Amino acid sequence: MTAAKVRFNPFDAGFRRDPYPLYRQLRETEPVHRALGTWVLTRHADVRAVLRDRTFSAGLIPRLVAQHAGRLTGSAVDRIERLGRGSLVFTDNPDHARLRGLVNRAFSPRAVARLRPLAHRIVDEQAGRASADGGMDLIAALAAPLPVAVLGEWMGLPAHLRAHVAAWTNDIRFLLEPGLMRADDFGRVGEVVETFVAALTEVVRDRARRPGHDLVSALLAARTAGGDRLGEEELVFLCIMCFVAGNETTKSVIGNGMLALLRHPQQAAALAGRPDLVPGAVAEALRYDSPLQLTKRVATRDVELDGHRIAEGDQVLLCLGAANRDPAVFARPDTFDITRDTGGHLAFGHGMHGCLGGLLAQTLAEVAVEHLSRLDLEPAGDLAWQDHSFIVRGLTALPVTVRGTR
């Protein structure tokens, strides 16, 4: 197939079902590809290089605000722009380094490890119910509610807020989908951001008066050696982005990983009774069918890449899913192998914007896969891939029958 016949179209139904054939064609024929007004990169080396290059900015939100400001109220414009400028996801250095230094103190491996018992209880309850009922939809029953429940408990959110978090998060995640945003979407997101901010501000102020052993209290207590701390609004924005960035990623890695195991029964059989293989299985699921498929950057100066001039202000779409199937890095990349060395995968990004919640997502997925690998599962109906995102690849339905235990 010639380069002229290959066109990147993330809105195509076939691409949503299986993007990897197109990724392969682009890698082989036109790895630096121009489409939809942006540059599309599919080779691991190029994607990794841009993620590491700090002359490529993650600050897309101010641009979106400028495009749609005329259709929004002043408060919505201000709130979304401040969310963009005050969020780890959308900031560059020095602001990013400052926020990251404070937040890392609360998102430590030890803190995440303390969430394992809670995750085990939730998954064990759902897995037990599925066994009794003879089956379940893995997404609705387990993958979707697990991250919301764990994050809600870790933050110490009151019950009346936890009931709304999933819906609010679903709306705000449009900020990660600039190619899908319409003016109406932007207005709705602005309203939801204001509602979510107001609710979390009450939580933060309550925790300032009565600190506990939760994430909000830990973030309030975080200080640098020089005494710097997170402001109230910064902390609220951080909590919002924890849900936005962590919820879909965790749900999708559980769903995508379990689908891969269902389609590769020999791998699933090897995993049964071998909890030591679970971390490798989750890492391979992240590489093989990455939840976060694409991420964007903006060039802050003219750059030449593979003979192409990327001009200052150009947007660059980094295909993480394509990079993770690059044969230059991973042998037999289209083979799902839970024993492979997955070092170098880019499922959680790379460099200073590496996903803060990556460890939490991997931990929750490990707990889910460990429990589910003890069940003898088989597909029980049609799969449903989400069609409201081209950044995230994940299932909205994965029905299974439980035939017994392994």
Side-chain angles (χ1 to χ4, degrees):
M1 181 172 289
T2 64
K5 294 181 181 179
V6 181
R7 296 296 295 172
F8 177 76
N9 179 12
F11 302 100
D12 180 74
F15 178 86
R16 292 181 184 278
R17 287 191 300 272
D18 185 3
Y20 299 105
L22 178 59
Y23 286 154
R24 182 173 61 251
Q25 292 167 3
L26 286 172
R27 265 197 323 266
E28 293 173 353
T29 61
E30 197 178 359
V32 180
H33 177 73
R34 186 73 172 169
L36 304 175
T38 190
W39 294 98
V40 181
L41 308 186
T42 48
R43 285 187 304 212
H44 186 281
D46 295 335
V47 171
R48 186 177 184 274
V50 171
L51 288 171
R52 287 180 58 86
D53 189 342
R54 298 186 180 183
T55 62
F56 286 90
S57 171
L60 293 168
I61 294 302
R63 290 170 175 264
L64 287 172
V65 171
Q67 291 172 11
H68 298 286
R71 299 173 181 258
L72 302 176
T73 65
S75 60
V77 170
D78 179 63
R79 189 71 80 180
I80 291 178
E81 187 166 21
R82 297 215 313 269
L83 174 63
R85 296 188 186 282
S87 164
L88 275 169
V89 177
F90 301 112
T91 53
D92 300 314
N93 282 341
D95 294 334
H96 183 89
R98 172 185 168 270
L99 291 171
R100 192 88 183 206
L102 286 163
V103 171
N104 281 348
R105 297 168 185 267
F107 277 79
S108 66
R110 179 177 297 180
V112 172
R114 287 199 291 267
L115 298 173
R116 275 187 181 268
L118 170 63
H120 275 291
R121 288 198 300 273
I122 295 171
V123 175
D124 187 54
E125 178 181 336
Q126 294 299 331
R129 185 175 299 142
S131 294
D133 294 343
M136 64 174 161
D137 178 353
L138 272 172
I139 306 302
L142 196 152
L146 178 61
V148 173
V150 171
L151 278 169
E153 182 71 20
W154 192 16
M155 290 185 189
L157 298 187
H160 72 276
L161 281 188
R162 297 186 197 189
H164 298 288
V165 162
W168 290 343
T169 299
N170 184 63
D171 283 331
I172 295 174
R173 59 124 188 108
F174 269 102
L175 294 175
L176 301 176
E177 307 271 357
L180 294 181
M181 290 285 284
R182 301 183 303 269
D184 290 346
D185 295 326
F186 211 92
R188 185 179 73 257
V189 169
E191 294 173 0
V192 172
V193 167
E194 292 197 87
T195 301
F196 208 167
V197 165
L200 286 175
T201 297
E202 291 186 16
V203 173
V204 170
R205 290 175 179 174
D206 175 72
R207 229 44 57 78
R209 293 189 299 267
R210 299 180 298 171
H213 300 289
D214 54 88
L215 177 61
V216 174
S217 298
L219 289 169
L220 280 166
R223 298 288 190 279
T224 65
D228 188 20
R229 58 187 288 270
L230 291 167
E232 179 182 89
E233 189 174 66
E234 287 178 325
L235 202 159
V236 168
F237 288 163
L238 174 66
C239 291
I240 289 175
M241 293 313 295
C242 281
F243 281 107
V244 172
N247 183 38
E248 284 288 340
T249 301
T250 304
K251 177 179 75 173
S252 296
V253 70
I254 294 172
N256 296 1
M258 289 308 303
L259 176 61
L261 287 167
L262 288 168
R263 288 176 167 174
H264 298 82
Q266 290 183 331
Q267 297 285 301
L271 189 61
R274 290 287 306 275
D276 57 303
L277 294 180
V278 169
V282 172
E284 173 66 345
L286 285 163
R287 181 207 68 83
Y288 179 77
D289 204 3
S290 307
L292 182 61
Q293 287 280 305
L294 310 165
T295 189
K296 270 195 174 183
R297 295 291 185 267
V298 178
T300 61
R301 61 175 175 82
D302 291 355
V303 177
E304 184 171 311
L305 184 60
D306 196 36
H308 298 272
R309 177 181 174 272
I310 298 176
E312 178 182 351
D314 280 358
Q315 294 189 24
V316 181
L317 192 64
L318 308 176
C319 299
L320 305 178
N324 286 336
R325 295 272 190 116
D326 191 337
V329 179
F330 303 103
R332 300 174 294 108
D334 295 324
T335 298
F336 181 71
D337 179 3
I338 65 173
T339 64
R340 82 159 67 238
D341 179 3
T342 57
H345 80 70
L346 302 176
F348 291 135
H350 184 69
M352 74 174 186
H353 280 99
C355 181
L356 176 70
L359 179 59
L360 177 60
Q362 182 151 345
T363 298
L364 297 186
E366 287 175 6
V367 170
V369 170
E370 181 180 341
H371 280 263
L372 294 172
S373 67
R374 300 171 191 160
L375 303 178
D376 184 8
L377 305 175
E378 67 175 0
D382 294 334
L383 302 175
W385 291 98
Q386 65 178 21
D387 59 5
H388 59 269
S389 171
F390 68 81
I391 297 294
V392 175
R393 173 170 166 79
L395 293 156
T396 57
L398 179 54
V400 296
T401 296
V402 181
R403 296 187 297 188
T405 58
R406 294 183 185 272

